[in-house]
Amino acid sequence: MDFEPKITTGSTSPIFRQIVDQVRLAVAHGRLTEGNQLPSVRALAERLLINANTVAKAYAELNAAGVIDTQAGRGVFIAKPRQPYSAAERRRRLEPRLDALLTEALHLGFTLDQIAELLRERARRLADSNSSGKSS
Amino acid sequence: MDFEPKITTGSTSPIFRQIVDQVRLAVAHGRLTEGNQLPSVRALAERLLINANTVAKAYAELNAAGVIDTQAGRGVFIAKPRQPYSAAERRRRLEPRLDALLTEALHLGFTLDQIAELLRERARRLADSNSSGKSS
Amino acid sequence: MDFEPKITTGSTSPIFRQIVDQVRLAVAHGRLTEGNQLPSVRALAERLLINANTVAKAYAELNAAGVIDTQAGRGVFIAKPRQPYSAAERRRRLEPRLDALLTEALHLGFTLDQIAELLRERARRLADSNSSGKSS
Amino acid sequence: MDFEPKITTGSTSPIFRQIVDQVRLAVAHGRLTEGNQLPSVRALAERLLINANTVAKAYAELNAAGVIDTQAGRGVFIAKPRQPYSAAERRRRLEPRLDALLTEALHLGFTLDQIAELLRERARRLADSNSSGKSS
DNA sequence: GTGGTCTAGACCACG
DNA sequence: GTGGTCTAGACCACG
């Protein structure tokens, strides 16, 4: 319940998406695991100084994606990890994001090999922070 | 002037972004170099059967990014390449996007090796679709 | 575009769900097929005398489920049929609905065999209305 | 009085509905018959470790449906079975639910035979979980 | 014109 | 107290 997302109001990505991404990241890092309770819609809205509907929208998306279980009247909990999409759908969902990343990285002047190496480096960092609990 | 972007009206990404990305990719791949002329806003809009405002918006973004020079009354040209960012700055800009991609991909159930392989596959496809599409 | 859902404001199921179900049913019946355009968010909201956000919520769910493709600035279209969920996830999603139906039907006094027979009968009706275009 | 519903707090369906459904199923299956006594609101709430209001709400619905008789100061009993609906009325009530289930299932990619098979499987499971769960 | 995001606030269902 | 639905209305992105 001490989950504390940070949002940036003037950012490129919408507030509800920042919440979704941070919950996913926290799950990927192992900071949130099955059964952990998230703050209530209203509590998180107050803490972040945003509208409760915005939090509700983020939670609805996480719910649809099977990341959290929402229990009306009880609260919001991290769900048992599952893999809802078919192999084809998973590729379908990842490819546009890969294309966007590639376009951006190539234009920044990175070569494909550099991008792949950076990717592995970030993945290691992710794995480390996962096992050691927290690192910066 | 024979630059011929391909746009997909039924795509997820906005038309203006497809144009921006394809110009940037062509520059990154060396298919468009300093001084090359691009079609005028109106010419490109007519050829692609899209709204002239959409092309204008794409060109405006490319102008602001220093990728092209719009010379009133003369035409639109690829600008002198500039590398305004230091190596550290380039990494700083790319890393959050890499992290977001990794989180999403790992969440979808892909392994790091699968992600790297898909990345190379998409890079091949992006290069192919851009180089083979020069004539109309 | 002549898609005309009927909603009941005092009903048990929320308005946005009624819209979702009717689009799905129309697709199942073959009355809506790939590429067909749906009314815009605002147009449908005006026609049904409901708030645009309610229609937007229905469309967002259909979008997430891959039933429609939403193109900002262009409109809403029936997507190419696809099967986004894994086999396990499909069962996971169907079972609670089967349980609810069984409970209701058994309490109404139907036997399991009667339920199964009724199910086939409704499926035939669905198939018929699909091939003949429209029936009551 | 040895009626012992099983509730799952982490479930999708509300607790009060789980109680209602289990009483209805037990009646439909003949495991509870006219005159059988159910635990009092408080007793059941304590046994299930849930709020007494939740049990009260379930009993209220069962009362309204004529499934149970609450006799103030005496207890809660299974009512005389009544079959208030004509055959036509029963079908009229079930069909829209069958149609909704079919639409959803076909949309998920199940064939009619698969749906029928799953239906029987769930019916077996519902019967088992109810009959084998009589003692605490 | 199209859809997307967000706020403010009401009302309901569930516990 | 918990989350869910809906309205009314502002503002933004895209074409």
Side-chain angles (χ1 to χ4, degrees):
Chain A
M1 191 83 100
D2 62 347
F3 172 67
E4 178 75 30
K6 290 190 185 71
I7 60 153
T8 317
T9 47
S11 162
T12 43
S13 77
I15 297 175
F16 85 89
R17 180 134 314 282
Q18 295 180 45
I19 297 173
V20 168
D21 286 345
Q22 291 188 40
V23 172
R24 293 200 120 136
L25 195 61
V27 172
H29 274 247
R31 288 196 303 270
L32 286 176
T33 54
E34 186 182 350
N36 282 173
Q37 188 169 9
L38 290 183
S40 77
V41 168
R42 282 166 178 76
L44 188 53
E46 278 176 27
R47 217 191 299 165
L48 300 178
L49 300 174
I50 59 174
N51 191 282
N53 282 340
T54 305
V55 179
K57 184 169 186 179
Y59 281 9
E61 179 168 326
L62 288 165
N63 207 40
V67 177
I68 63 176
D69 279 332
T70 262
Q71 293 167 27
R74 299 194 61 247
V76 177
F77 305 86
I78 299 295
K80 176 149 76 175
R82 57 190 168 102
Q83 180 56 63
Y85 297 117
S86 67
E89 183 71 9
R90 285 158 58 206
R91 275 191 69 131
R92 209 189 111 88
R93 285 174 180 254
L94 190 60
E95 283 175 355
R97 301 197 60 156
L98 280 172
D99 291 352
L101 180 85
L102 273 169
T103 301
E104 177 69 15
L106 292 174
H107 190 255
L108 277 171
F110 291 101
T111 66
L112 182 53
D113 285 338
Q114 287 172 327
I115 300 167
E117 175 51 30
L118 273 172
L119 191 73
R120 292 186 182 281
E121 186 181 314
R122 298 310 293 179
R124 268 197 300 278
R125 195 180 203 80
L126 198 64
D128 287 351
S129 72
N130 197 334
S131 56
S132 66
K134 221 171 240 180
S135 88
S136 118
Chain B
M1 190 83 99
D2 63 346
F3 173 68
E4 178 75 27
K6 286 204 187 69
I7 60 154
T8 316
T9 49
S11 162
T12 42
S13 80
I15 296 173
F16 92 94
R17 177 129 320 280
Q18 297 180 46
I19 297 172
V20 168
D21 285 348
Q22 291 188 38
V23 173
R24 293 192 130 175
L25 269 178
V27 171
H29 285 141
R31 288 191 302 276
L32 284 175
T33 53
E34 187 184 351
N36 282 173
Q37 188 170 9
L38 291 183
S40 73
V41 168
R42 285 190 186 171
L44 188 53
E46 278 173 27
R47 217 191 301 166
L48 300 178
L49 300 174
I50 60 178
N51 195 302
N53 287 336
T54 307
V55 179
K57 179 163 189 178
Y59 279 12
E61 181 169 323
L62 289 165
N63 247 312
V67 177
I68 62 174
D69 277 330
T70 294
Q71 298 172 17
R74 297 194 56 245
V76 179
F77 304 88
I78 300 297
K80 181 157 78 168
R82 58 174 197 191
Q83 184 65 39
Y85 303 129
S86 66
E89 176 67 11
R90 286 159 61 212
R91 279 191 64 136
R92 202 190 60 74
R93 285 178 169 256
L94 192 59
E95 282 174 355
R97 304 196 58 159
L98 279 170
D99 290 354
L101 180 86
L102 269 171
T103 302
E104 176 71 12
L106 295 172
H107 220 100
L108 280 171
F110 291 101
T111 66
L112 183 54
D113 285 338
Q114 288 173 325
I115 300 167
E117 173 52 30
L118 273 173
L119 189 75
R120 293 184 184 281
E121 186 181 314
R122 295 312 291 179
R124 268 195 302 277
R125 175 178 280 265
L126 277 182
D128 287 353
S129 73
N130 255 294
S131 60
S132 66
K134 275 205 180 171
S135 70
S136 121
Chain C
M1 191 83 99
D2 63 346
F3 172 68
E4 179 74 31
K6 292 190 184 71
I7 61 155
T8 316
T9 47
S11 162
T12 43
S13 77
I15 297 174
F16 86 90
R17 179 135 314 283
Q18 295 180 45
I19 297 173
V20 168
D21 286 345
Q22 291 187 40
V23 172
R24 292 200 121 137
L25 195 62
V27 171
H29 274 247
R31 287 196 304 270
L32 286 175
T33 54
E34 186 183 350
N36 283 173
Q37 187 168 10
L38 290 182
S40 77
V41 168
R42 283 165 176 77
L44 188 54
E46 277 175 27
R47 218 191 299 165
L48 300 178
L49 300 175
I50 58 176
N51 192 282
N53 282 338
T54 304
V55 179
K57 184 170 185 178
Y59 280 9
E61 178 167 328
L62 288 166
N63 206 41
V67 177
I68 63 176
D69 280 332
T70 262
Q71 292 167 27
R74 299 194 60 248
V76 177
F77 305 86
I78 299 295
K80 177 149 76 174
R82 56 191 170 102
Q83 179 57 64
Y85 298 116
S86 67
E89 183 71 11
R90 285 158 57 205
R91 274 191 71 130
R92 209 189 111 88
R93 286 175 180 254
L94 190 59
E95 282 174 356
R97 302 198 59 156
L98 280 171
D99 291 353
L101 180 86
L102 273 168
T103 302
E104 177 69 16
L106 292 173
H107 190 255
L108 278 170
F110 291 101
T111 65
L112 183 53
D113 285 339
Q114 288 172 325
I115 300 167
E117 175 50 31
L118 273 173
L119 191 73
R120 292 185 183 281
E121 186 180 314
R122 297 310 292 178
R124 269 196 300 277
R125 196 180 204 78
L126 198 64
D128 287 351
S129 70
N130 196 333
S131 57
S132 66
K134 219 171 239 179
S135 87
S136 117
Chain D
M1 191 81 102
D2 63 347
F3 173 68
E4 178 75 26
K6 286 202 187 70
I7 60 153
T8 316
T9 49
S11 162
T12 43
S13 81
I15 296 173
F16 92 94
R17 176 130 319 278
Q18 296 181 46
I19 297 173
V20 169
D21 285 347
Q22 291 187 38
V23 173
R24 292 192 132 176
L25 270 179
V27 171
H29 285 140
R31 288 192 302 276
L32 284 175
T33 54
E34 186 183 353
N36 282 172
Q37 188 170 11
L38 290 184
S40 72
V41 168
R42 286 190 186 171
L44 188 54
E46 279 174 25
R47 216 191 301 165
L48 300 178
L49 300 173
I50 60 178
N51 194 302
N53 288 335
T54 306
V55 180
K57 179 163 188 178
Y59 279 13
E61 180 169 324
L62 289 165
N63 246 311
V67 177
I68 62 175
D69 276 331
T70 295
Q71 298 171 19
R74 297 195 55 245
V76 179
F77 305 88
I78 299 296
K80 180 157 79 168
R82 55 175 198 190
Q83 185 64 40
Y85 302 129
S86 66
E89 176 67 10
R90 287 159 60 212
R91 279 190 64 135
R92 201 190 61 74
R93 285 179 168 255
L94 192 60
E95 283 175 354
R97 306 198 55 159
L98 278 170
D99 290 353
L101 180 86
L102 269 171
T103 302
E104 176 72 12
L106 295 173
H107 221 99
L108 280 171
F110 290 102
T111 66
L112 183 53
D113 284 339
Q114 288 172 325
I115 300 166
E117 173 52 30
L118 272 173
L119 190 75
R120 293 185 183 281
E121 185 181 315
R122 296 310 292 178
R124 268 195 302 277
R125 174 179 281 266
L126 276 183
D128 287 352
S129 72
N130 254 294
S131 58
S132 66
K134 275 204 179 172
S135 71
S136 121

